[in-house]
Amino acid sequence: MNSSLRFLASVSAACFAVVFLWADIGRADVKLPPVFGNHMVLQRAAAVPVWGQALPSEEVTVKFRDQEKKATADAKGAWRVELAPLTVGGPETMTISGKNKILLENVLVGEVWVGSGQSNMQGGVSGYAHLDEVLAKWAAGAPYAKLRLAHAGGWQEATPKNLDGFSAILFAFGLKLQQELDVPVGLMLGAAGGTPSGAWLSEAALADDAECQKLIAVQAANYDDVLKTFNAKTLPEFEKQAAAAKAAGKTVPKAPVAPPKPGTVNGRPVGYLYEAHIRPFVGYRIRGVLWDQGESGTAVGGVDQYMLMGALIRGWRKEWNQGDFPFIYVQKASGGGCAWDPTDPVTAKGEPFQPLPPTVPADGQYLETHVRIMNYPQTGMAISSDLGLGVHPVNKSGYGQRSAAVALGMVYKKPVAYYGPKYESHEVAGSKVRVKFSHVGQGLAWKHGERLQGFAVAGEDRKFLWATAEIDGDSVVLTCQEVPQPTAVRYAWSGKRTWANLFNKDGLPAIPFRTDAW
């Protein structure tokens, strides 16, 4: 091809590209994020935002039922409308139109919940059904027409195939809600195994939390010295050991990891999982969140789970911009206590009751850190002490039902017991201590053994001894001959507490507590 022909060919190609580009701009299809799609569930009884992209200044119309909302895309092409509160129903079709038209079909209106956390939230139905008869039965009952599933990539129907890899605990939670409320339920899942809470809140949420920033600042003040010690001592010692092992034909030890920079998640940016799994949901109208994480801690140096979860909960609520929505989380550590009724499928994996140990344990700090999270506003804890032990408890149907009970009682105000006896106050009168409880349900009770046990008292010497405990209405009265002037009380304040046997008559175990800060 001569130069003239090559020139004409290049001009023709350029003109074609320009025409194609202008045609594409002229078309400028209205687009939706994946969170809006076929099979979705819209939250009832609340304003419902719908948003997307279009050509700048393009008018977009959203039609659903008898509502028609219009918006004009801004200079960057972003548009947003808000549907007035909706009543339960469906399936129906939503129409979004501009220069093109999108039909979203099989849309329901009901309740929408987000599930997040690490492996106990991520673990799929197929992975646990063979260990959980109730879960297997529920999975076999699919498809569920009024239950829908979502990941960051979009919505699905609750078919047997789609349920297989979907969160077992979130499925059990959602199915129980659907059955009890008799409304459609949408479940949005963002979870990843082995992950710390520091990966699940945005960088802005952590930066805005003054208390967390104070703790990080303490770590940062010493970081240079810690890093110097690592480089000058720890690393050379390892290299020396590695060289000796290699020369002797032995296994070379694993290299030490440099101390991560304060304010990071083991050296990675804060919120990297939030951005991947939760950010795509943010702004979609929801009822609340179910959270199951804690085994991996925070991975943010100097910040414990209680403090970090406060920042996470506040951050999610701020970014969702729909007020203090309910945040339900599963108690950590899982298991550790006995069950009221070991024949009940919910508590069948609970541990056997055991006698009191000779001395009062004092290893309840980890447990307490997680229990305290329930003190944040509109935050509920699904008690797990009687549901089975282990890093990965197999009783996912029980965990889901217990979590659903918290939602039914705390959020939907149904007349169901969702907590066991919860410490409310105490009063010392001479040698006696009266501990008053809330959430007594049908009444306080003890189960197993020969008497109520698990309470300890201490005087000014801070030495805890087992106390004699008697139920009196909604209180427990404690005495101990060896502690004539008690000043502090603890109940089940230990990682392993199968010897603690206070319940309410609804079968829910009392929540561990202490009145001291020693």
Side-chain angles (χ1 to χ4, degrees), residues 85-133:
L86 302 165
T87 56
V88 170
E92 295 166 270
T93 299
M94 177 183 288
T95 303
I96 302 95
S97 56
K99 295 184 181 302
N100 62 305
K101 181 180 290 188
I102 300 172
L103 298 180
L104 302 183
E105 299 179 321
N106 198 19
V107 176
L108 302 177
V109 177
E111 293 294 305
V112 182
W113 284 82
V114 173
S116 187
Q118 58 183 116
S119 54
N120 280 309
M121 179 60 71
Q122 181 189 41
V125 170
S126 61
Y128 284 98
H130 68 290
L131 301 168
D132 183 335
E133 292 182 5

Side-chain angles (χ1 to χ4, degrees), residues 35-36 41-43 46-51 80 82 112-117 150-152 155 186-191 200-202 204-205 208 273-291 311-327:
V35 73
F36 297 103
V41 179
L42 302 176
Q43 177 61 45
V48 175
V50 181
W51 68 90
R80 182 182 186 276
E82 196 170 85
V112 182
W113 284 82
V114 173
S116 187
H151 296 86
W155 288 88
L187 303 172
M188 309 173 82
L189 176 64
W200 290 104
L201 81 169
S202 69
D208 289 345
L273 292 174
Y274 176 86
E275 298 302 329
H277 297 279
I278 303 301
R279 179 73 70 186
F281 298 149
V282 172
Y284 193 92
R285 191 76 193 200
I286 62 172
R287 173 65 70 185
V289 169
L290 176 62
W291 175 265
L312 185 150
I313 292 167
R314 288 187 291 269
W316 283 32
R317 286 171 174 168
K318 180 180 179 180
E319 287 158 7
W320 239 280
N321 193 31
Q322 61 168 73
D324 286 353
F325 56 71
F327 194 102

Side-chain angles (χ1 to χ4, degrees), residues 217-443:
V218 172
Q219 296 282 312
N222 301 318
Y223 180 68
D224 288 344
D225 291 338
V226 172
L227 191 59
K228 286 177 182 178
T229 300
F230 176 83
N231 290 326
K233 185 177 179 180
T234 306
L235 197 56
E237 286 179 357
F238 160 74
E239 291 171 347
K240 182 178 178 180
Q241 293 171 1
K246 187 175 181 180
K250 297 180 180 179
T251 302
V252 176
K254 187 176 181 180
V257 178
K261 184 178 179 180
T264 67
V265 180
N266 287 333
R268 300 186 67 176
V270 168
Y272 63 92
L273 292 174
Y274 176 86
E275 298 302 329
H277 297 279
I278 303 301
R279 179 73 70 186
F281 298 149
V282 172
Y284 193 92
R285 191 76 193 200
I286 62 172
R287 173 65 70 185
V289 169
L290 176 62
W291 175 265
D292 194 337
Q293 184 274 338
E295 294 86 355
S296 294
T298 71
V300 178
V303 183
D304 69 16
Q305 187 76 351
Y306 171 73
M307 295 299 298
L308 197 287
M309 287 303 298
L312 185 150
I313 292 167
R314 288 187 291 269
W316 283 32
R317 286 171 174 168
K318 180 180 179 180
E319 287 158 7
W320 239 280
N321 193 31
Q322 61 168 73
D324 286 353
F325 56 71
F327 194 102
I328 298 171
Y329 72 99
V330 176
Q331 179 186 15
K332 300 297 174 188
S334 298
C338 62
W340 174 270
D341 181 6
T343 67
D344 185 332
V346 174
T347 55
K349 302 296 184 182
E351 296 164 80
F353 172 78
Q354 293 180 338
L356 282 175
T359 58
V360 179
D363 60 338
Q365 190 65 54
Y366 177 83
L367 170 73
E368 182 182 63
T369 296
H370 292 270
V371 169
R372 289 173 63 208
I373 295 169
M374 68 192 301
N375 294 332
Y376 292 121
Q378 279 291 95
T379 302
M381 182 180 76
I383 297 171
S384 69
S385 62
D386 58 337
L387 300 181
L389 187 65
V391 175
H392 297 115
V394 299
N395 181 21
K396 293 305 183 215
S397 65
Y399 276 74
Q401 290 183 78
R402 181 64 59 78
S403 301
V406 178
L408 290 168
M410 186 184 91
V411 180
Y412 299 105
K413 309 303 180 185
K414 299 293 183 181
V416 300
Y418 59 94
Y419 284 159
K422 184 175 181 289
Y423 169 83
E424 186 171 288
S425 63
H426 74 283
E427 181 181 355
V428 179
S431 61
K432 295 183 178 181
V433 182
R434 176 177 291 272
V435 182
K436 186 176 181 181
F437 291 89
S438 59
H439 292 277
V440 298
Q442 299 178 56

